[in-house]
Amino acid sequence: MSIQQSTTGQLRPEASRAVPHPLDQLSIEESDYAREVILNARGSQVAINFRSIFLEEPPKHELSRFLELENAGRVTSHTPRPARVAKIQYDVIREDRKHEYMESCVDVVSGKETHQRVVEKMHQPALTTHEFREFSEACVESPVFKKAVAEFDLPEGFVVAIDPWPYGGPDPSEIAPRYTQGLCFARDTRNGNEDSNHYGYPLPIIPIMDTYSKEIVRVDRLATGGKEDGLTYGTHKRDVLSHCSPAEYVPELLSQPLRTDVKPLNVTQPEGPSFKVDGNLIEWQKWRFRVGFNPREGATLHDVRYDGRSVLYRLSLSEMTVPYGDPRPPFQRKQAFDFGDAGAGRAANNLALGCDCLGTIKYFDAVLTEPDGKASLSKNVICLHEQDNGIGWKHTNFRTSRAVVTRLRELVVQFIITLANYEYIFAYKLDQAGGITVETRATGIVSVVNIDPGKTSPWGNVVSAGALAQNHQHLFCIRIDPAIDGLNNTVVAEESLPMPMSKEINPYGSGYEVRQTPIKSSQYLDASPWTNLTVKMTNPSKLNPVSGKPVAYKFIPSASQLLLAHPDSIMAKRAQFATHHVWVTKYKDGELWAGGEFTNQSQKETDGVSDAVARNENTENDDVVVWNVFGLTHNPRVEDWPVMPVEIHQLHLRPADFFSANPAIDVPGSKNKASVLAPSESCCESGSVQKAPASHMQGSGPDLDPKSKL
C-alpha cells in the first residue's frame, strides 16, 4: 500500500518525482512494476491471484544509519540508500486447481526478485475483501445453503444477508482446508432502504465454504435456547423471526425524531494548521516523524523525534483478537484476529471531511491491490489534524491572583476500520509536552445470535427481542520499538512499595520505596495497580543533567482483564500474546506480529511474542521491543444496541527525566478571543479570575524579608 500525498490522489510523472525516501510507501507505478516482475517470473503456465503488494521496510541496521545521516543534515544525492523493495503476497493456481501461497520480494529499481518462499500448507494467509465477496456469491448459488434457509418461514419481503467471517481455529482432530464461514441475518426490504439494519433478525445457521473450490461444504446449525436448555439444539420454530424487532439506526428509519437542540460546535483555524507536511514527513510543535501505511497494520509511525532527539524507531498496532465466550458449538471457533485474519489496512474507511475528523484536515490516500495485481487508489484512509484537549498546565499565584494557563493541543493521526459489524477508531496523539497517546475506540454493532422468545442466556444479554449479544473480549497489542536517544535501551520495571516501620529509616511509617528492576533478558510482565507498576524504556548511557537518572519514556500498563478462554483451549493456544500485559523482547527484523505472522485458522500461536520471549535473549542496553496488551471484556448492555457508544482505551507514553524541565513551559497561554459567555439571566457572571483569595481559605498575608530584624 502506498501513501499518496495529495487528496486528489494524482501522481506526478515518474521522471519528475524526487528520489523516494526509504520509508515512502510504494507508488502506483512501483506497485504495478512489481506485479509485472512476478507475472514474468512465474510464467504463463499458472494463474496468479494477488493479495497484497506493499513496501518491505529496509533492515533496521541499514535504515537507522540513513536516518541518522538525514537528521544530521548530511544526506546528499550520493548518499547510499537501502534497497527499495516491494513485498508481494499471492496465490499460484496450477492446472490441477491446487493453490500455493507464495511471498516474493522485488527490488523495484533493478527489477530483480530478491527473495521467494512457498508458505507451508499448515499456514493460511489473511482473507481479502474479494474472497468475502466470492463467499457471499457462493452462498446465494448453493443448493445446500438454500435448503438450510428453506427450513425457516421468513416474513414476506425479507432477504438473507450474510456477514463473511474467518473460520477460526479448527478443532484438534479436524482436518480443515482453507475455509470461510458466514453469520446469517434477514433484512427487511419493505422500507425500500438498502441501509436497513439486518442485525435485528439473526438466523441460526452458519454456512462453511471451501475457499478455493468455492463450494459450500456444510451449514452448521446454532442453538437458540436459554439457560434452561444447555447444549440442546433445535428449540426454535420455523417462524424463527416472528419475535424479532427492527433495530434501525440510519436517521430516516428511526422511530423517534432526531434532537433539535444540538447547536453547531465548529473547529476553526483561521491562520491554518500548525503542522507541516512534506510527503510522508510531518513536523509539528518540535515533533518530527514519518507516517506509513500497510495492508495489515494500517497507519504506522516511524523515526519519531522531539526537538531533534530520537524517541521511537517505530510505533504500530500489532494485533487484536476478539474471542467469544459462548461455549455452545460451533462458537468455540468464533474468534477473530482482525489484523492477521483480515488486515486493518485493507478494511480502512475512506474518511469524510467534517465527519470523521474535524478542523483543518490533511488526508493521506493508500494504494490497494486488486486480485489481478493492479494498483487501485483508496482515498482518505488517514486523517491528520490538531485538536484541543483541555488545559495543558496551569497555576494561579494565590497571593496576586494571577493565573497562567495553557491549552493541551494534540496532533492526531487517525484511521478507522470496519470489519462486518464492528468499527475500530485508532489514533496516535502527540502533544506539546512530549507525550504520545495511542487511543483505541470500539463502536459499531455487537454480534448477535437468535434466542427463543422469553428466554435469557448466561452467554450474553438480550439486547432486542430475539437478539442475544454474546459475551466477548477485545484484546489489543501495541508494538513499541523505542529509540530513547539511541537504539540501545534498557527496560526497567518500577514499583512503589510500602516499607516496614523502623526507627532508623521509617519511624512514623510514612515512607515508601521506589524499586527499579532492569529487565535483563526477554520476559513478560503483568500490570499491578497495587504496586503502580511502571514500565520505563531507558537509555542507561545518557543521564539527565538535573536528576542524574537515565533518560527515559514510561507508561503504566492498564490492569485490564486478559484472555479468559481456558489455557488448554484452541482459543488460548492461538492467542498467547493476550495472556500477559507487557512483553519485552530483543529486536529482530520482520518480527512485527504479536500473534504470529499467520493467524487465520491457526491452532496455536507461532512466531509471536511468546516464542520471542522463549528465546531468552539479552535485553539490557540492547535493541529492544516492548509490546503492550490491553483489552475490553465486553458483556453487552441494552444501551449498546442498535449501535454501541464508543468504548475508549488509551496508552500514555510520557517522558520520564528525558527533558530538563516541562517541555511545554514555552507554550503561549494566549486568551481565546472567540470564547464568549453563554446567555444567562444572572447579573454576577464576569468570566474573570476570583479576586478574593481569602474566600478560598488561601490567605493573603505578607512575605517575610529574611534581612528584617528579629
Side-chain angles (χ1 to χ4, degrees):
M1 293 192 174
S2 172
I3 295 296
Q4 302 302 311
Q5 306 311 333
S6 166
T7 56
T8 65
Q10 297 300 313
L11 289 168
R12 293 169 289 169
E14 192 64 34
S16 67
R17 291 172 62 87
V19 177
H21 189 276
L23 287 171
D24 279 349
Q25 303 306 295
L26 297 179
S27 68
I28 288 177
E29 292 88 350
E30 289 173 322
S31 179
D32 285 344
Y33 181 46
R35 167 187 180 269
E36 292 300 321
V37 171
I38 294 302
L39 288 175
N40 292 332
R42 299 291 84 82
S44 59
Q45 302 303 310
V46 298
I48 303 292
N49 182 50
F50 288 89
R51 294 182 174 276
S52 294
I53 301 175
F54 56 97
L55 179 76
E56 173 79 344
E57 293 176 20
K60 193 173 190 178
H61 72 277
E62 295 181 18
L63 180 57
S64 59
R65 187 164 55 237
F66 178 87
L67 294 175
E68 287 304 317
L69 290 172
E70 178 186 50
N71 284 283
R74 293 164 53 196
V75 170
T76 70
S77 58
H78 302 292
T79 301
R81 292 169 179 259
R84 189 141 177 85
V85 176
K87 186 168 188 176
I88 304 97
Q89 299 171 332
Y90 57 100
D91 292 330
V92 174
I93 308 168
R94 306 195 182 278
E95 289 184 357
D96 57 5
R97 304 303 297 168
K98 288 186 177 180
H99 287 63
E100 274 185 338
Y101 174 62
M102 298 182 67
E103 294 183 347
S104 294
C105 289
V106 169
D107 186 315
V108 296
V109 175
S110 68
K112 294 181 180 179
E113 184 180 13
T114 59
H115 176 76
Q116 177 199 129
R117 72 163 171 164
V118 178
V119 176
E120 296 175 88
K121 296 290 186 182
M122 62 180 288
H123 297 307
Q124 294 290 348
L127 293 159
T128 66
T129 55
H130 307 289
E131 287 179 313
F132 284 163
R133 188 180 307 120
E134 291 170 345
F135 170 70
S136 297
E137 292 169 352
C139 287
V140 170
E141 298 297 325
S142 167
V144 175
F145 182 65
K146 291 179 180 178
K147 183 179 179 181
V149 172
E151 296 173 5
F152 310 119
D153 291 332
L154 300 185
E156 189 70 27
F158 278 70
V159 296
V160 176
I162 309 160
D163 279 12
W165 263 66
Y167 185 70
D171 295 334
S173 60
E174 183 180 6
I175 299 175
R178 185 173 177 81
Y179 278 153
T180 307
Q181 67 176 353
L183 307 185
C184 295
F185 306 86
R187 183 170 63 84
D188 187 354
T189 66
R190 295 171 299 182
N191 54 33
N193 192 320
E194 63 181 2
D195 288 313
S196 183
N197 187 8
H198 58 277
Y199 291 110
Y201 301 99
L203 296 173
I205 52 174
I206 293 181
I208 312 294
M209 181 183 79
D210 183 313
T211 311
Y212 290 147
S213 71
K214 308 295 188 293
E215 177 189 0
I216 302 301
V217 296
R218 73 174 191 269
V219 177
D220 290 344
R221 271 63 175 180
L222 309 182
T224 60
K227 58 185 177 183
E228 65 271 31
D229 297 306
L231 297 180
T232 303
Y233 290 73
T235 61
H236 61 80
K237 298 179 181 179
R238 284 187 61 87
D239 58 345
V240 69
L241 300 181
S242 61
H243 62 300
C244 296
S245 59
E248 305 298 356
Y249 63 91
V250 295
E252 64 271 23
L253 294 181
L254 291 179
S255 59
Q256 63 195 78
L258 296 177
R259 302 181 189 190
T260 59
D261 58 349
V262 181
K263 303 294 179 66
L265 196 164
N266 296 322
V267 179
T268 61
Q269 295 179 273
E271 298 180 16
S274 299
F275 57 76
K276 294 190 296 183
V277 178
D278 180 10
N280 69 349
L281 175 65
I282 299 170
E283 295 178 285
W284 176 83
Q285 295 292 295
K286 302 185 182 181
W287 285 106
R288 174 188 167 102
F289 62 94
R290 292 184 181 270
V291 63
F293 192 89
N294 65 67
R296 182 158 177 166
E297 298 166 295
T300 55
L301 301 189
H302 304 260
D303 192 27
V304 182
R305 295 171 183 260
Y306 188 97
D307 207 12
R309 296 173 64 188
S310 174
V311 176
L312 300 175
Y313 178 77
R314 194 179 192 274
L315 181 64
S316 62
L317 290 130
S318 175
E319 190 55 270
M320 64 173 292
T321 187
V322 186
Y324 281 75
D326 190 332
R328 299 172 297 177
F331 296 130
Q332 79 277 8
R333 288 189 287 97
K334 192 174 181 182
Q335 179 186 22
F337 289 76
D338 291 326
F339 286 59
D341 288 355
R346 297 184 187 95
N349 289 190
N350 304 112
L351 305 176
L353 186 65
C355 298
D356 299 300
C357 313
L358 303 182
T360 303
I361 309 300
K362 170 65 180 178
Y363 286 111
F364 297 87
D365 302 339
V367 172
L368 303 180
T369 306
E370 297 297 329
D372 64 0
K374 291 182 179 178
S376 62
L377 190 69
S378 184
K379 299 284 291 180
N380 300 1
V381 295
I382 301 174
C383 66
L384 175 73
H385 64 103
E386 296 173 278
Q387 70 181 22
D388 179 273
N389 193 17
I391 291 175
W393 62 262
K394 176 179 180 175
H395 180 65
T396 301
N397 185 339
F398 74 84
R399 293 170 178 82
T400 65
S401 297
R402 180 179 176 182
V404 179
V405 57
T406 67
R407 305 297 297 178
L408 177 59
R409 188 180 297 197
E410 296 174 322
L411 182 70
V412 182
V413 179
Q414 177 177 286
F415 68 106
I416 303 172
I417 67 173
T418 298
L419 292 157
N421 54 302
Y422 258 115
E423 267 79 16
Y424 298 97
I425 302 148
F426 299 113
Y428 303 103
K429 301 181 177 183
L430 297 86
D431 65 45
Q432 295 159 305
I436 303 172
T437 298
V438 184
E439 179 181 274
T440 64
R441 296 185 179 218
T443 181
I445 299 175
V446 290
S447 184
V448 297
V449 295
N450 197 290
I451 186 169
D452 299 338
K455 294 181 180 179
T456 61
S457 171
W459 317 125
N461 194 28
V462 178
V463 293
S464 180
L468 176 72
Q470 292 167 302
N471 300 332
H472 59 284
Q473 294 182 284
H474 306 257
L475 296 157
F476 303 84
C477 183
I478 296 172
R479 182 181 181 275
I480 308 163
D481 190 344
I484 310 301
D485 271 339
L487 295 178
N488 285 354
N489 294 164
T490 299
V491 177
V492 173
E494 179 181 282
E495 296 179 283
S496 299
L497 305 170
M499 291 173 57
M501 292 181 70
S502 69
K503 292 181 179 180
E504 295 78 16
I505 298 176
N506 192 24
Y508 297 101
S510 57
Y512 67 86
E513 174 192 0
V514 178
R515 184 179 300 170
Q516 296 192 327
T517 306
I519 307 301
K520 297 184 178 182
S521 60
S522 52
Q523 67 178 77
Y524 58 77
L525 305 168
D526 284 316
S528 175
W530 302 276
T531 64
N532 192 48
L533 177 72
T534 301
V535 178
K536 286 189 172 181
M537 299 168 288
T538 75
N539 186 332
S541 64
K542 185 169 183 181
L543 303 182
N544 184 285
V546 178
S547 69
K549 296 179 179 179
V551 296
Y553 262 69
K554 70 171 187 176
F555 68 93
I556 299 176
S558 171
S560 58
Q561 194 165 33
L562 294 167
L563 186 67
L564 284 167
H566 191 280
D568 294 335
S569 68
I570 294 292
M571 270 190 178
K573 289 178 180 179
R574 64 199 300 253
Q576 286 297 291
F577 80 90
T579 60
H580 296 287
H581 290 111
V582 179
W583 304 79
V584 180
T585 63
K586 183 181 173 70
Y587 176 86
K588 180 181 179 182
D589 278 334
E591 196 166 67
L592 301 172
W593 323 122
E597 183 178 2
F598 296 101
T599 61
N600 187 22
Q601 291 185 218
S602 64
Q603 291 182 309
K604 65 176 183 177
E605 182 180 296
T606 303
D607 294 331
V609 290
S610 179
D611 287 342
V613 162
R615 295 197 298 262
N616 195 32
E617 294 173 304
N618 176 70
T619 56
E620 186 176 25
N621 199 21
D622 210 328
D623 193 355
V624 298
V625 177
V626 180
W627 315 70
N628 176 224
V629 176
F630 57 88
L632 160 67
T633 297
H634 192 180
N635 303 325
R637 316 165 295 158
V638 173
E639 291 84 355
D640 290 330
W641 191 256
V643 180
M644 63 177 283
V646 292
E647 289 276 356
I648 302 173
H649 182 278
Q650 293 182 328
L651 165 68
H652 299 285
L653 300 175
R654 296 293 181 260
D657 295 337
F658 189 80
F659 300 104
S660 57
N662 176 2
I665 201 70
D666 58 352
V667 174
S670 57
K671 185 175 182 179
N672 181 263
K673 296 180 180 179
S675 297
V676 297
L677 288 173
S680 173
E681 296 180 0
S682 171
C683 63
C684 301
E685 293 185 359
S686 68
S688 60
V689 177
Q690 172 62 253
K691 293 297 185 183
S695 69
H696 291 275
M697 302 188 73
Q698 296 176 328
S700 57
D703 296 326
L704 172 66
D705 182 351
K707 295 182 180 180
S708 63
K709 295 181 180 180
L710 295 176

